[in-house]
DNA sequence: TAGTGGTCTAGACCACGCA
DNA sequence: GCGTGGTCTAGACCACTAG
């Protein structure tokens, strides 16, 4: 792989430079799932100690770019671009990237609407809503948790049959309605409750959180309020102009 | 501090055990701001190598319990606050960024473009770029830090006069060009470098990070690449459908 | 058994903050 | 100048995975 210039003047640590070189190469030459060369090989290539290479790899592991597997090797993880637009849907989005995503139901309950949910669904606070919690995985790695809230009225019976997969597709085919997304709000917080363990991430690393409302495109009535928490280290939300 | 039993059978790594002992002691005996004993002292106390102690401390640093200060010591951080700030609520429209908020220049330098910057500005890596770092405050509270990158060629002279305020407005009036934003990428990370102190936020709370490129709307050439870090606790990015 | 990552040691030198 | 953390090296041995 040719001349990678490691600068030993001391202004930038060797492991930082190696980690940047590796990151660049991973982005341009590797695909998700590919194995990185062994630590010893990399140490030889850069003419540094194996510990120094390990330190460089540590950086990329903590950035969610690489994953270590004891006894097997170090592997490239998928970086996911989730495009937010009025039309784009999650599953289509990921399928078009050639990823296999699946979604499973963690919880399905009827609860009284708290005010934030009620306001967005345009119902009165305390009215019953269906709360569905789903976990999405991409390439068998946890990716995001979504809390879906729908008015109980009109949707309860139908949703009894829902047990995973794309909720939007399910609603579309069962009700014959098309959903369209209104504005989304994006912020970031540390994971709350069980989120960190479902997402298999450390509790001190942030999640990206989006709030969005989906309307019935014919009646213009709110159908679903969704609160999504993405593993931030594996997600970049892409906003088209 | 007495008999701390380090088990060397090999079922649990020494550094893990030390990190647990330290965590327990920090919770029961230390207050936020207190300094941890020096790494050499801890190494002596546990009869292990300094590297092993460092590895144990690494765990606690990455959990947001400790903070290292080069040349000074290792310090106990305040406990994480789980509550989402219900105080100041903030909504900022990505498109209206760059209008009326107060902004001051932290740095203005010419540096060689690293690959990520070069790619977005469509110039060759290593070409000189102007790097302007600005801090925006709203109601005298720090809100976000923006790293602006512009090609040196064509913009250097003009930018010598820039000393704050809206950079987009400045470019618009000086050059008579209109900027238009291409896609934005949004993710979230823990604050890096000096960001936490400029933003007056704890180092273990996340920032929202956006990357965007502004083009000259006539020539369709990239003019500016901006990397923005928002205090996540004060920001909700609003995406219109 | 061979190859991979995981841990620990020992020692050296550097960079930073402060008195 | 001294004490602190930061980096790098060299070498050893362990634990896991796969053929």
């Amino acid at each position: 792989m040719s001349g990678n210039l490691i600068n030993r003047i001391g202004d930038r640590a060797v492991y930082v430079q190696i980690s940047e070189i590796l990151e660049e190469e991973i982005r341009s030459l590797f695909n998700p799932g590919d194995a990185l060369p062994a630590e010893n090989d990399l140490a030889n290539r850069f003419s540094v100690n194996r510990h120094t290479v390990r330190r460089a790899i540590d950086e990329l592991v903590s950035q969610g770019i690489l994953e270590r597997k004891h006894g097997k090797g170090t592997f490239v993880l998928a970086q996911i671009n989730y495009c937010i637009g009025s039309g784009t849907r999650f599953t289509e989005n990921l399928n078009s990237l050639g990823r296999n995503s699946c979604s499973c139901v963690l919880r399905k309950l009827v609860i009284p609407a708290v005010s934030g949910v009620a306001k967005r669904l345009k119902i009165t606070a305390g009215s019953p809503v269906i709360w569905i919690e789903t976990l999405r995985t991409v390439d068998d790695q946890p990716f995001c948790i979504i809390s879906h809230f729908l008015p109980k009225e009109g949707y309860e019976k139908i949703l009894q049959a829902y047990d995973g997969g794309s909720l939007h597709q399910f609603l579309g085919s069962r009700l014959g309605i098309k959903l369209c997304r209104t504005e989304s709000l994006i912020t970031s917080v540390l994971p709350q409750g069980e989120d960190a363990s479902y997402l298999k991430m450390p509790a001190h690393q942030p999640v990206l959180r989006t709030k969005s409302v989906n309307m019935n495109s014919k009646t213009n009535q709110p159908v679903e309020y969704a609160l999504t928490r993405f593993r931030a280290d594996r997600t970049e939300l892409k906003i088209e102009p």
Side-chain angles (χ1 to χ4, degrees), chain A:
Chain A
M1 213 38 39
S2 82
N4 294 115
L5 312 172
I6 303 289
N7 170 0
R8 296 192 95 115
I9 303 170
D11 53 345
R12 285 169 63 251
V14 173
Y15 78 87
V16 172
Q17 300 176 55
I18 293 179
S19 121
E20 287 169 356
I21 293 171
L22 290 178
E23 180 174 358
E24 179 53 36
E25 289 185 4
I26 289 166
R27 293 202 189 286
S28 55
L29 304 172
F30 287 69
N31 294 310
D34 287 356
L36 207 67
E39 293 175 351
N40 277 318
D41 295 344
L42 289 171
N44 284 331
R45 171 181 155 197
F46 292 110
S47 306
V48 298
N49 191 273
R50 181 180 154 222
H51 292 297
T52 305
V53 163
R54 276 184 68 75
R55 185 72 179 80
I57 292 176
D58 282 343
E59 294 296 294
L60 303 179
V61 168
S62 79
Q63 286 174 43
I65 294 172
L66 292 177
E67 171 192 31
R68 286 201 170 98
K69 293 187 182 174
H70 194 172
K72 298 179 75 175
T74 303
F75 299 86
V76 176
L77 284 173
Q79 246 285 337
I80 295 164
N81 267 29
Y82 176 37
C83 187
I84 290 197
S86 53
T88 44
R89 292 276 79 93
F90 193 101
T91 325
E92 299 164 19
N93 222 329
L94 293 169
N95 288 344
S96 68
L97 291 173
R99 304 270 166 67
N100 69 10
S101 99
C102 86
S103 148
C104 66
V105 175
L106 302 177
R107 261 187 227 93
K108 190 156 61 169
L109 295 172
V110 173
I111 57 167
V114 297
S115 66
V117 172
K119 195 182 67 189
R120 291 183 169 87
L121 291 179
K122 293 185 184 160
I123 58 181
T124 58
S127 313
V129 291
I130 306 162
W131 170 33
I132 301 176
E133 195 96 338
T134 58
L135 172 66
R136 280 184 181 272
T137 59
V138 176
D139 297 338
D140 298 320
Q141 302 274 346
F143 178 54
C144 70
I145 292 183
I146 313 180
S147 303
H148 308 266
F149 299 95
L150 300 94
K152 181 182 171 193
E153 213 181 312
Y155 298 99
E156 190 182 22
K157 279 202 181 144
I158 301 218
L159 285 175
Q160 281 169 359
Y162 172 70
D163 65 346
S166 164
L167 179 59
H168 293 172
Q169 222 162 26
F170 181 88
L171 286 172
S173 65
R174 294 295 173 112
L175 292 173
I177 60 178
K178 246 182 79 180
L179 295 181
C180 71
R181 184 194 293 268
T182 64
E183 68 178 33
S184 299
L185 294 173
I186 304 177
T187 188
S188 156
V189 292
L190 293 174
Q192 321 244 310
E194 304 292 310
D195 286 359
S197 66
Y198 280 125
L199 292 171
K200 292 187 185 154
M201 60 182 282
H204 56 92
Q205 291 289 351
V207 293
L208 265 179
R209 195 186 65 189
T210 69
K211 296 176 181 172
S212 57
V213 177
N214 281 291
M215 318 281 280
N216 180 328
S217 55
K218 273 185 193 157
T219 65
N220 226 26
Q221 285 295 305
V223 172
E224 179 217 20
Y225 167 50
L227 198 155
T228 307
R229 288 86 76 201
F230 296 92
R231 273 187 66 152
D233 61 351
R234 305 193 56 207
T235 310
E236 225 165 15
L237 298 176
K238 184 174 170 183
I239 313 297
E240 303 284 2

